[in-house]
Amino acid sequence: MSDSQPPRSLIIGATKGIGFALAERLGASEHKVALTGRSKESVDTALNRLRELQPSGSFDGLILDLKDYSTTRNILTNFGQVDHLVLCGSSDAAWGPFNAMTMETIEQALKTKLVGFLNVVQAVMPHLADHGSITFVGGTAARASMPGSVGIAAVNGALESATRSLARELAPRRVNLVSPGLTDTEAWDQILAANKTELYTSFAAKLPLKRVGCPGDSAGAIAFMIANSYVTGSILDVDGGWHLG
Ligand SMILES: NC(=O)c1ccc[n+]([C@@H]2O[C@H](COP(=O)([O-])OP(=O)(O)OC[C@H]3O[C@@H](n4cnc5c(N)ncnc54)[C@H](OP(=O)(O)O)[C@@H]3O)[C@@H](O)[C@H]2O)c1
């Protein structure tokens, strides 16, 4: 794609939360945005909302499940040229006390957010512009040493390591990772349920910046990783200072 064309950005997992906020932001910056979700319903709902919020934006949708490697590959092989790839899909929750966690739970989280992400990268690589970028969304659990987070820590920690190796191997394409802290998205609605507000308040009180993140905080950081052509192999914490301990 020539530099005079709008960049074509593909966001895996953008029907809600951080990915959706990024789609809205890139749509306002004249990117041609393609987003994915697992069902036609969630993708259509997201596209309708985006077209209302950004009537002049260019939005398209794909339906795929990260755990279905071969279907995902087929869909992405036929998708064509990509300038910027963002991997924002959720892992299946792998939170909870280690001794009570089944190996299947950990395996499913790795399948979705580690191997599923790497499968997407490999499928898109032949179509990724030389000036293009890949941005993973990891998470603070990678380095927070929190009890009850072994599963998700293993997933996000492995992604951080993969980011640095891929940045060397896939250059001149840039590879970076944004690491959100606790962020108020739909992902927490079921897990925290009626206790959400109370838990957010007590968690925020312990952070240097005294608030829980919003999807736009991480979306802004991802947009920076996409736009800055001299950043690669970097991990950017967007967590209100949580990583400081
Ligand atoms: N929110 C936080 O506090 C927080 C903190 C640290 C890290 N993160 C990370 O940030 C990323 C985004 O989180 P979020 O809170 O914005 O999540 P979210 O609101 O739950 O959105 C997740 C997105 O991923 C898609 N998705 C879920 N499972 C998928 C699968 N198996 N295959 C393909 N797509 C799938 C969903 O699409 P459909 O439901 O439409 O299928 C949705 O678009 C995740 O990687 C998460 O681990 C979040």
Side-chain angles (χ1 to χ4, degrees), residues 23-245:
E24 186 186 351
R25 189 178 183 114
L26 295 183
S29 314
E30 297 181 353
H31 285 236
K32 290 179 79 169
V33 177
L35 61 87
T36 79
R38 284 165 298 177
S39 69
K40 180 169 170 17
E41 192 191 354
S42 69
V43 169
D44 286 348
T45 304
L47 290 175
N48 288 339
R49 277 180 64 206
L50 285 165
R51 287 171 185 147
E52 265 176 44
L53 291 163
Q54 295 292 342
S56 61
S58 166
F59 300 105
D60 207 349
L62 300 172
I63 301 159
L64 59 83
D65 188 325
L66 286 160
K67 282 184 274 193
D68 183 346
Y69 303 148
S70 62
T71 308
T72 295
R73 267 178 183 260
N74 284 338
I75 291 167
L76 296 178
T77 300
N78 293 322
F79 179 70
Q81 174 124 14
V82 174
D83 292 287
H84 302 288
L85 170 66
V86 178
L87 295 115
C88 201
S90 277
S91 56
D92 284 353
W95 291 99
F98 176 66
N99 285 334
M101 184 170 281
T102 66
M103 291 305 112
E104 286 72 24
T105 303
I106 300 177
E107 204 169 56
Q108 289 303 306
L110 286 163
K111 190 168 183 182
T112 313
K113 196 172 167 178
L114 179 63
V115 187
F117 277 15
L118 295 178
N119 180 53
V120 168
V121 171
Q122 210 178 55
V124 169
M125 266 311 287
H127 313 285
L128 188 67
D130 282 352
H131 63 260
S133 71
I134 298 168
T135 309
F136 295 109
V137 179
T140 316
R143 282 165 282 125
S145 313
M146 277 181 300
S149 73
V150 151
I152 195 68
V155 173
N156 287 330
L159 264 184
E160 292 195 357
S161 297
T163 297
R164 287 188 288 271
S165 298
L166 286 172
R168 291 215 127 180
E169 189 165 341
L170 304 185
R173 285 85 162 196
R174 296 177 297 105
V175 186
N176 293 296
L177 182 143
V178 166
S179 178
L182 182 61
T183 305
D184 182 16
T185 69
E186 292 90 329
W188 292 112
D189 289 351
Q190 264 193 324
I191 302 172
L192 303 181
N195 301 324
K196 192 168 105 165
T197 310
E198 195 187 326
L199 288 169
Y200 277 1
T201 305
S202 68
F203 184 82
K206 296 180 194 135
L207 291 176
L209 298 188
K210 303 292 177 217
R211 72 171 173 87
V212 164
C214 65
D217 294 323
S218 290
I222 300 166
F224 167 79
M225 293 301 204
I226 289 174
N228 192 310
S229 63
Y230 205 51
V231 178
T232 195
S234 293
I235 314 277
L236 179 50
D237 292 305
V238 185
D239 61 2
W242 187 0
H243 68 279
L244 298 169

